[in-house]
Every structure is written in C-alpha cells, then in structure tokens.
Amino acid sequence: MYCFLASYLKTILLVTFVGALAWVYQSIQPPRPKIAGVTSPRIKLRDGRHLAYKEFGFPRDEAKFKIIYIHGFDSCMRDSPLTYFLSPALVEELRIYTVSFDRPGYGESDPDPNRSPRSIALDIEELADGLGLGPKFYVFGHSMGVESHGHALSTFLTAGAALIAPAINYWWRNLPGDITREAFSLMFPADQWALRVAHYAPWLTYWWNTQRWFPFSNVIAGNPIIFSRQDMEVLSKLGFARPNQAYTRQQGEYESLHRDLNVGFSSWEFDPLDLQDPFPKNNGSVHLWHGDEDKFVPVKLQRYIASKLPWIRYHEMSGSGHLLPLVEGMTDKIIKSLLVGEEEVSESIEASA
C-alpha cells in the first residue's frame, strides 16, 4: 500500500511539474504576428519583406532637399512631425520632400525576425534606392528611430542627419559605468526592469510586458509620469489624442513594441561612440537635439556623447522634454539648421532656449 501511494504521489507531482512547465512555456511565447491590412504604398526589399511609406511636401522629382523620417517607439509613419508641424511656407521656400515609413513590425510594414540596428539601416538604404532619392538625402530620426543612424552614417552616404532625443543603449561598451548607473537610476523602477529584461532575457519580454503581477514599462502603459512639464503642455494642446495607436500596433505588441525593446537594448554589434566623422570635408552635418528635462533619456548621457564625438553639432534645449519635435516652431528650426546651416537660425534657437 505504501509503495502504491508513493508511486501515485510521484506521478501526481510529475504531471503537475510538466503542466506547470507547459503553462510557463505558453505564457512566454509571443503570439504570431497579425496580418496587417494594407492601404499604403509599399516597397519590396531584397529579402521579400515590404516597407510601407508615406510621402509629403514638394514633388519628389522637383525637390531640392529630400528627407527620410524615422519614427520612434510605439509610433508610425503617420506620426511624422514633418507632416504636421513643418510649415508649408518653409516646404515651398526650400522645396522640401519628405518620406516617412513604418519600421518593421509597425503599421503596414512586414515584421523582420532578424531585425538589428544594422538591418534597419539597410532598409533605409533600400527605401531610398527604390524611390530614386539619389545618393544624397537627409535622415531625421526621433527617439528609438535613431538607433539605425550610426550604421546609416557608416554604411552609406547621406547629406546630413538630425537626431532628436535619441534613445541610448545603456549597455554600449564605451559608456562609462558611473554615468550609465547614474542615468539609469533616474528612470522609474518599472522602466528599469523593462530594459533589464529586454537586455538580459529578451525571450521574457512579451510575458513581462503583458503580465499583471509586476509593474511593466510606463512607456507602453502610457503612464503620464514619464512626461516632462513641457511634454504635458504639448499633449494638452493635442488633446491627449493618439489617433494612430491602433494602426501602429495592428500586427501585435510583440512585433512592434517588444521586438523594438529587444533590438534597441540588446548587445549591439557596434558602438556608436566608435564612429568617425562621416563628413570630414564639411560636406554635411550631424545634429543632436535634446531637452534638458527629458525623462525618457537623461540629458547627462547626451552631453557625454556630444563631448566624445565633437563633430556632432549639439543643441540642448532648456525646459524641453522628449516630445521636442512637437513643440510649436521647433521642427522648422531643426530642419533649417540641418538644411541651410545653424548659423542662420542661431538667434531663434537661443531665443527658444
């Protein structure tokens, strides 16, 4: 009888253990990407994927300046500030053409299971080639849309780049530990853990950001505590509306948001602090714009990067937060600085600071 009970208990424990493992496995598995309804023009890439894009401004074949906009985290091509905040007068005066696109897994662009900072840069190059933008064009990236710029600047020619509130990977090998620890400590604990999971256990990213036992990313949750005073003023003027959120996430949060975290905070194959000046003959420029009250990316990190890469033209805006391109008049200033030289807008920049 004793042997029978012992055997029975072992069986029960084994079944329970296997069931628990199966439950855990199912919990951490992201769902398959949803098929996006396609209504926008798309370009086919070498690997068979498609990128959706949206054009705006001066006709492509007649434009003097051509700009590719790269959207940030939990955003899409429809959110481009160059579409909504760039003044029509400036577009006409400088004959500016812009194109924005959905990064892989966002909106109507196919997901890329092999996505990396390098692959996104190559996507940009293929987009430019496919649209016939020529060898010289500008890139304008916001937040996590900047992660590809380092590879872009070292891989193919551009006429210049504007990096707006760029996200920083705290695990870049050349960032000093004391600076990254201090900057990391300024983040809310929930966001610290979201980045740790993305870096150390990317296979858990989906589960971590969908479970309800522990606080998960404030950015994904849309918690207003992550916004600065100026950010909240900007959002208030816009009615706190996010008309494109459903479109942005239509393929599922894993393919858009979670994979973005995994790529952005992984162990990169290069370190941006190793970059050399892409324009040694002064035939182009790289501008970095950052608000000193940005709660997403502490300004201390940008100051350090600007000090180590002196060829970057650093603009620090007093009182500004992460939504810098949405501040009234700011997109015009950034674009004029990029296209015609910062000297011509120095007075207006100083006034806004």
Side-chain angles (χ1 to χ4, degrees), residues 149-328:
H149 277 46
H151 265 301
L153 293 173
S154 61
T155 303
F156 55 85
L157 290 175
T158 63
L163 320 178
I164 319 301
I168 302 296
N169 186 335
Y170 292 88
W171 290 273
W172 288 344
R173 64 178 179 274
N174 289 329
L175 282 177
D178 57 335
I179 292 179
T180 55
R181 284 191 294 271
E182 179 184 347
F184 200 74
S185 69
L186 297 176
M187 300 175 66
F188 292 102
D191 298 309
Q192 292 179 18
W193 277 105
L195 298 194
R196 287 191 187 104
V197 170
H199 181 76
Y200 294 110
W203 45 275
L204 269 181
T205 302
Y206 168 73
W207 176 81
W208 183 265
N209 290 289
T210 54
Q211 53 77 35
R212 295 295 179 266
W213 297 347
F214 310 105
F216 60 98
S217 168
N218 284 306
V219 182
I220 293 178
N223 193 329
I225 63 174
I226 58 177
F227 295 111
S228 71
R229 175 189 54 80
Q230 188 186 71
D231 288 340
M232 291 300 291
E233 291 174 357
V234 168
L235 291 172
S236 177
K237 289 180 180 179
L238 298 175
F240 295 96
R242 292 204 57 193
N244 298 317
Q245 186 178 60
Y247 171 86
T248 295
R249 301 184 181 188
Q250 67 176 321
Q251 297 187 59
E253 291 187 14
Y254 177 76
E255 283 300 336
S256 52
L257 312 186
H258 305 160
R259 196 182 289 280
D260 219 359
L261 288 175
N262 288 348
V263 172
F265 298 99
S266 63
S267 296
W268 285 22
E269 57 201 29
F270 81 108
D271 191 317
L273 288 170
D274 290 332
L275 287 173
Q276 301 299 312
D277 185 353
F279 306 111
K281 298 180 180 180
N282 293 320
N283 56 340
S285 58
V286 179
H287 297 254
L288 195 164
W289 297 76
H290 205 80
D292 66 352
E293 294 184 7
D294 191 322
K295 290 187 177 182
F296 288 71
V297 186
V299 69
K300 188 179 186 74
L301 293 172
Q302 308 294 11
R303 290 171 180 167
Y304 179 81
I305 290 170
S307 72
K308 293 300 179 182
L309 302 177
W311 44 269
I312 286 181
R313 302 184 185 184
Y314 180 55
H315 312 260
E316 185 173 305
M317 309 308 292
S318 176
S320 292
H322 197 67
L323 303 183
L324 193 58
L326 309 188
V327 175
E328 186 175 356

Side-chain angles (χ1 to χ4, degrees), residues 39-59:
T39 59
S40 304
R42 304 202 303 175
I43 189 167
K44 188 173 183 178
L45 306 177
R46 293 190 195 99
D47 62 3
R49 290 182 297 113
H50 295 82
L51 282 186
Y53 64 91
K54 179 180 176 65
E55 297 175 291
F56 173 77
F58 220 77

